[in-house]
Every structure is written in structure tokens, then in C-alpha cells.
Amino acid sequence: MTRPISIDELVKNDTPRFIKKRDRVSKPEAKLVVKPKKIESVVQSDQLTPEPTIITQNKKPIKTQFNFDWDQSDDTSRGYTPLLELDDFDDTLPPPSVHWSAKSLQEMSESDWRDLKDEFNIITKGTKIHPIRSWGESVLDKSIVNILETSKFADPTPVQRASIPIATHQQDIIGIAETGSGKTLAYVLPLLHYILSIEENYLKYEHIQEFNLNKPLGVILAPTRELANQITTELTRFCSALNLTSVSIIGGHSYEETISAIKDGVHIIVATPGRLVDSLERKIINLSKCYYVIFDEADRMIDMGFEKPLNTIYENLPEINEADRQTFKLDKRITMMFTATFSDSINTMTKKYLIKPVQLVIGQIGEKVDNINQEFEFIQTKYMDTKFEKLVQVINKHARRNKVYSIIVFANYIKTVEELSDSLAEKGYKNITIHGSKSQQARERSIDEFRNGRVRILVATDVAARGIDIANVSLVVNYQMTKRVDEYIHRIGRTGRAGTKGNSYTFIEDGDEPLFPDLRRFLKKNLPAFLVNRNQTIKD
């Protein structure tokens, strides 16, 4: 039997050893076995075939060749035509993209419109819209555009960019937008445009006939007197320039005042639901020509128990007939509804009052207070007697940091508001109050004092949580926490308005614990200690 050749003996030979087929060989030796004839044929058939080398331990290379047993007819590259010739290759960079604001309307692509919507956090469902880029590019009546361009309204806000093209195309809207976002003009401007588009002879002659004097052409409903007054103030600025009339119908004003205000006719009514129903029942107001209805803060109306009055108002609205279709240039009644939350009640209202509405959201729900620094302090029951002193400390600290400041202190009950006001006055802090038990004149006077900076501290119930648009409120204090997170959002939304920075400070008690899960979901991150570890907070 032949002894196998060792590795040491094998590598001493410079020439590969060829072994007969019947001989036994080791695996290392077998790897070095090649057939000379095959090598020659490969070299002759393809001179481009590389000659691989094997480096041995003595560093002398052993040359060998690989044998590829194929026919050249199997070459799959034959007949290949390249898609791009080298001479045709253009290595220049593509031109830089042009921002949508630098393009004409004709140059705008669908991608540009998507970029615009993304830039302003505009989300729509139910229609495909192109937001307006400027007042001049909107379809608003030219007289309205002239007022806008010659006033402080330099550019539309996101909610205005989106809602105006929807409403001017006579589509219903249900929308949500952040506080201080310009929502009022978002529905006022389309309403004014609608009225100016009505047949001229009707506006000039028929509308001022005695039987039409108490018939408004549009109505805006608000949950509180304060919000109604704020809307009326904004609306009057345009109505005066456009030779139109708007009237506010709210509690605290006598019916005689309303009758006097509409004696020469009225185009738009701004009202609270209960007071408007009273005026309808007394025949002071007639809605038979009202084809345009707007709900502002519809969720708040439901919370305040206005669902029944709203149903009554809708029962008094007309169905459009052929004659009015021609005169008012409408195919259906137009309804715009703005709300902070899409509750079951709001969904019911939407199905009942709106026709194929477009859903509009500006930004993400919960982002509306990202510009507000929110602080919390948990007070155990046994330390409640120190709560007022802590409030004073918060006010002092804020006043030291801000030479000019305005503070709203919220409480849940009228009695607490009055007690806080008296206690702050004893400490030398001049303040005013606002709550539901005060007369309308007193409430308006308090807001005016606070808005003009004559008084720096306003102590209020939730009547001031919505509808009061006061610039530069630097701090909101929740002396008593709300029972619902959406009301908390509206409270702190009095500061940090229209993109400015704001601050809030909230006192939390043991009794507020049912609100913790919703508050945790709202805050999402940077949770205060009492939410991160409730038990540890109590022990501390």
C-alpha cells in the first residue's frame, strides 16, 4: 500500500505532482492537482483568463488555471445594447427646486400644493382644496381684499388659507384650529363675500323694505357674551367699510336695544343661542332669509346646555326655493362649525345640520399649547392652608421677571373667585373679577380694564376661558384645576396666543386624581412628578 505524501514533501517540489487516478491522495494534495492539457486549451481559447496563483509556505507561487467548461455560444452578453451611451451621459446637477412661494399659480404642481399644506399643518378630509397663498389670489370680493391689504392683515393665517377656498365654494365645514389662530376671520370673510355676491337689486332695494328689516342674511352663534362681543368688534371693522350692518343679540342688553339696532335693517346677527331663541319667539328677529349659519365653539355650546335652543334655531331656518336660489346664488344653506373637540354630541350635530362637510384640522390636536411653558404643583390635603401663600409667591416671581405682565387666575366657583380677589387686594394686588353673576356691563368693564392694562390681574371662572382675546397675557394660574382636560387647554390657551410664548401654573390636589389619565395622555412627555409616580408624590 502506498504511503500518502506529506505536506512537507509536497511543498518542496516546484512542479505540481500528477497522480494516477487510482492513487489515494490527501485533500491538500488534491487541491493542487491540475491537468496540463486542460490548461493549454483554456489559455488558447481565452487569453483574457487570469492566471491565479497559489502561495506556498516557501513563498514560491504555483501557477494553475481554472477550467470553465462552457461553449462561447452560451455567452449571454452577445447582442446587448446599452440603454445609455457614454457620450449621451449628462453629469450636470439638476436645477435647485423652487419654493412654492416663488412660483406663479400656473407653475404650481400638486407637489407644491402638498408642500404648502405641510408647511402650515393643514389637514383636510372630504375634498381636494388648494389653500390660498395670499389675499390677492383668493376669490374674495375685491372690496374685502382691499381692506385686508391696507390693514394689519399682511398674510392669511393657516386656518384662513384653508377655510376661505372651501367656504367660498359653498361647502360646509367642520373644523378645529388652535386658539388665537385667526379663526374669526376664517368664517367672517366668506360670510361677507357671500352677502356681497347677492343680487344687487335685492340688497339695494328689497332688503330695506319694512317687511325685511328684521331678516338677517347670516347668523353667527357663540356660547358666551364675551365671545359674541369679540366677534362683533371684528365684524364691525369690515361692515363699516362695506356699508353693511351687524347686530349683537346677547343677554344683558334689553330687547329695546335690539329693536333699535335693526330698525334700518340688518345683514348679520351675532348671538348667543338662548337670547336668539327669545328674539325669535318675540318676533323681533325673522330667519326666513338666512341661508348662512356659523357655529363658533360648538362643543362649548353643547357643554352649556344649548342643544335645545340650537334645534329651535334650525327649525326657523328656511329651505331654499327657486326664487331665492337665483337671488342669493346658492344651491343649499351653508353651515360652518368650529369646535375644540369632536365628541359624540358634535358628531350628532354635524350629521343633523351639515351637508357633506369638509373636515379641516390645523396642526395636530394637543400641539396648540406647545408654545406654553406648563408648570404644576401638587399640594397634599394637609398643606392646603399654604395654597394661597404659594399663589402669592407665583405672582411675585412672575412680576419680578416681567416688567409688563398680565395674569389670569382661574377658579371653579364664584365664591372662590370673590374670596381670592379680596385676599389679593389685602396683599396689595389690584385686581378685577369676572363670573356669571356679574352683569353684562360689569363684565365688559372688567375685560376693558384688563385689556388696556389698567389692572394687571384678572380673577375669573371659566366664563373667561373662552372668547376673550387679550393680547400679551403672560401667565395663567389654575388655582383650582378643571374637571376636564379640554377646559384646561382652553384656560391656558389665554396665554401664548398667535405664536407668542406663554406660561401657565396649575395647582393639583388629591381630588383631581380622576383627571390624571387624561392629563397624562395630553401631556405625553415631560410629565410632572405627581403623574410619573403618584404614590411617591403623596409620600413626599
Side-chain angles (χ1 to χ4, degrees):
M1 184 173 181
T2 304
R3 180 177 60 84
I5 300 173
S6 69
I7 293 296
D8 292 334
E9 292 175 348
L10 182 64
V11 298
K12 287 180 181 179
N13 295 322
D14 292 338
T15 305
R17 186 174 186 276
F18 301 97
I19 307 172
K20 294 181 180 181
K21 186 175 181 180
R22 63 176 177 272
D23 293 338
R24 294 181 62 186
V25 298
S26 65
K27 289 183 179 180
E29 185 182 26
K31 291 181 179 179
L32 297 176
V33 176
V34 295
K35 297 178 181 180
K37 290 183 180 181
K38 292 291 183 180
I39 295 174
E40 292 176 3
S41 64
V42 171
V43 172
Q44 291 174 0
S45 64
D46 189 356
Q47 295 298 325
L48 295 179
T49 303
E51 296 185 1
T53 61
I54 298 177
I55 306 299
T56 62
Q57 290 181 356
N58 61 4
K59 298 185 179 180
K60 292 183 179 181
I62 301 175
K63 295 184 179 180
T64 185
Q65 297 289 343
F66 294 103
N67 177 27
F68 300 98
D69 191 14
W70 64 39
D71 192 289
Q72 289 203 13
S73 62
D74 294 332
D75 187 358
T76 58
S77 66
R78 290 187 176 188
Y80 168 72
T81 303
L83 295 175
L84 180 66
E85 296 291 344
L86 187 60
D87 292 342
D88 296 333
F89 181 71
D90 184 4
D91 61 353
T92 59
L93 294 173
S97 59
V98 180
H99 192 261
W100 58 263
S101 60
K103 295 183 177 182
S104 66
L105 278 177
Q106 292 72 24
E107 294 173 320
M108 290 286 286
S109 65
E110 286 304 317
S111 177
D112 292 324
W113 289 115
R114 285 195 299 270
D115 290 344
L116 189 158
K117 292 175 72 174
D118 290 343
E119 188 169 325
F120 292 106
N121 289 322
I122 297 171
I123 303 171
T124 58
K125 182 180 179 181
T127 192
K128 180 180 178 182
I129 68 152
H130 289 164
I132 60 173
R133 305 191 303 171
S134 66
W135 299 121
E137 290 182 354
S138 70
V139 298
L140 292 172
D141 189 277
K142 295 301 180 185
S143 56
I144 298 175
V145 174
N146 289 338
I147 298 171
L148 292 165
E149 292 181 338
T150 56
S151 63
K152 66 177 182 179
F153 306 105
D155 293 302
T157 66
V159 67
Q160 293 161 6
R161 292 178 187 273
S163 64
I164 288 173
I166 297 172
T168 52
H169 282 81
Q170 299 186 5
Q171 291 178 278
D172 290 359
I173 295 176
I174 177 165
I176 179 170
E178 65 178 8
T179 184
S181 63
K183 185 176 51 176
T184 303
L185 281 189
Y187 57 72
V188 161
L189 297 180
L191 172 57
L192 293 170
H193 173 79
Y194 156 70
I195 293 175
L196 294 177
S197 68
I198 293 173
E199 190 177 288
E200 185 178 1
N201 286 334
Y202 179 87
L203 291 175
K204 188 177 291 187
Y205 303 112
E206 194 168 346
H207 186 66
I208 60 174
Q209 297 298 315
E210 185 175 355
F211 57 85
N212 281 331
L213 293 179
N214 68 338
K215 296 177 182 178
L217 304 175
V219 61
I220 302 173
L221 297 170
T224 64
R225 306 171 191 178
E226 286 72 28
L227 180 55
N229 282 335
Q230 179 184 308
I231 296 168
T232 302
T233 300
E234 196 79 14
L235 185 59
T236 301
R237 180 186 315 180
F238 289 88
C239 286
S240 299
L242 298 172
N243 199 29
L244 300 176
T245 304
S246 62
V247 173
S248 177
I249 300 179
I250 59 176
H253 294 173
S254 67
Y255 292 105
E256 287 73 16
E257 290 180 84
T258 302
I259 293 171
S260 176
I262 65 172
K263 64 181 178 62
D264 295 323
V266 59
H267 296 96
I268 301 171
I269 280 178
V270 183
T272 51
R275 191 66 168 194
L276 180 55
V277 169
D278 289 344
S279 298
L280 291 172
E281 292 174 347
R282 293 170 183 263
K283 309 297 184 184
I284 298 173
I285 296 296
N286 186 315
L287 297 180
S288 61
K289 296 297 180 184
C290 183
Y291 292 111
Y292 213 112
V293 184
I294 296 165
F295 297 88
D296 198 353
E297 299 192 358
D299 57 323
R300 180 67 168 164
M301 293 187 207
I302 298 299
D303 292 342
M304 295 176 67
F306 286 137
E307 191 166 0
K308 185 176 179 180
L310 291 176
N311 289 333
T312 302
I313 291 169
Y314 254 79
E315 289 170 1
N316 281 268
L317 293 173
E319 293 294 333
I320 197 162
N321 55 53
E322 190 58 37
D324 284 350
R325 193 188 306 273
Q326 299 297 323
T327 301
F328 296 97
K329 301 178 182 179
L330 283 174
D331 292 324
K332 67 177 185 64
R333 185 169 57 234
I334 305 300
T335 305
M336 300 177 71
M337 181 184 294
F338 285 90
T339 177
T341 55
F342 292 108
S343 63
D344 291 340
S345 298
I346 292 299
N347 288 332
T348 300
M349 287 180 63
T350 302
K351 293 176 182 177
K352 189 171 185 178
Y353 302 146
L354 279 65
I355 301 173
K356 295 181 179 179
V358 177
Q359 295 182 23
L360 169 64
V361 178
I362 304 299
Q364 301 295 326
I365 299 173
E367 286 183 352
K368 61 177 73 178
V369 294
D370 279 355
N371 57 337
I372 301 173
N373 177 38
Q374 302 174 66
E375 295 184 63
F376 300 83
E377 181 166 354
F378 184 86
I379 301 180
Q380 298 177 45
T381 303
K382 60 183 179 181
Y383 297 128
M384 289 300 293
D385 56 344
T386 66
K387 188 176 181 180
F388 177 74
E389 291 303 323
K390 289 181 180 292
L391 170 64
V392 173
Q393 292 172 13
V394 171
I395 293 174
N396 281 336
K397 183 179 179 181
H398 187 76
R400 286 196 302 269
R401 291 181 175 178
N402 303 272
K403 292 182 179 180
V404 179
Y405 63 89
S406 295
I407 301 173
I408 301 179
V409 180
F410 281 106
N412 295 342
Y413 309 106
I414 294 173
K415 180 181 179 181
T416 308
V417 167
E418 293 295 341
E419 289 174 349
L420 279 175
S421 178
D422 292 340
S423 298
L424 287 172
E426 290 175 2
K427 291 284 187 179
Y429 295 100
K430 185 179 179 181
N431 68 90
I432 51 176
T433 63
I434 178 172
H435 51 69
S437 292
K438 303 192 76 168
S439 67
Q440 182 61 30
Q441 288 75 14
R443 289 159 70 171
E444 291 175 8
R445 187 166 55 250
S446 293
I447 291 173
D448 185 61
E449 291 277 310
F450 186 63
R451 179 179 281 121
N452 293 328
R454 292 190 286 270
V455 178
R456 298 287 185 86
I457 301 175
L458 173 67
V459 188
T461 59
D462 279 334
V463 73
R466 304 196 191 206
I468 297 181
D469 189 6
I470 300 173
N472 303 319
V473 173
S474 54
L475 174 65
V476 167
V477 179
N478 290 300
Y479 189 76
Q480 292 176 315
M481 182 57 173
T482 62
K483 302 304 178 186
R484 288 173 26 185
V485 168
D486 60 325
E487 290 304 321
Y488 166 78
I489 295 171
H490 279 288
R491 280 186 180 183
I492 67 174
R494 298 307 98 194
T495 185
R497 295 178 71 81
T500 62
K501 295 295 183 181
N503 301 279
S504 72
Y505 199 97
T506 302
F507 291 102
I508 298 292
E509 306 171 11
D510 287 326
D512 299 320
E513 190 166 1
L515 188 68
F516 288 1
D518 289 340
L519 188 60
R520 186 181 291 107
R521 281 191 290 270
F522 170 70
L523 295 174
K524 295 181 182 178
K525 54 185 179 180
N526 299 324
L527 296 178
F530 71 90
L531 289 179
V532 175
N533 192 332
R534 176 74 175 89
N535 293 330
Q536 184 63 39
T537 305
I538 294 176
K539 292 176 184 178
D540 292 342

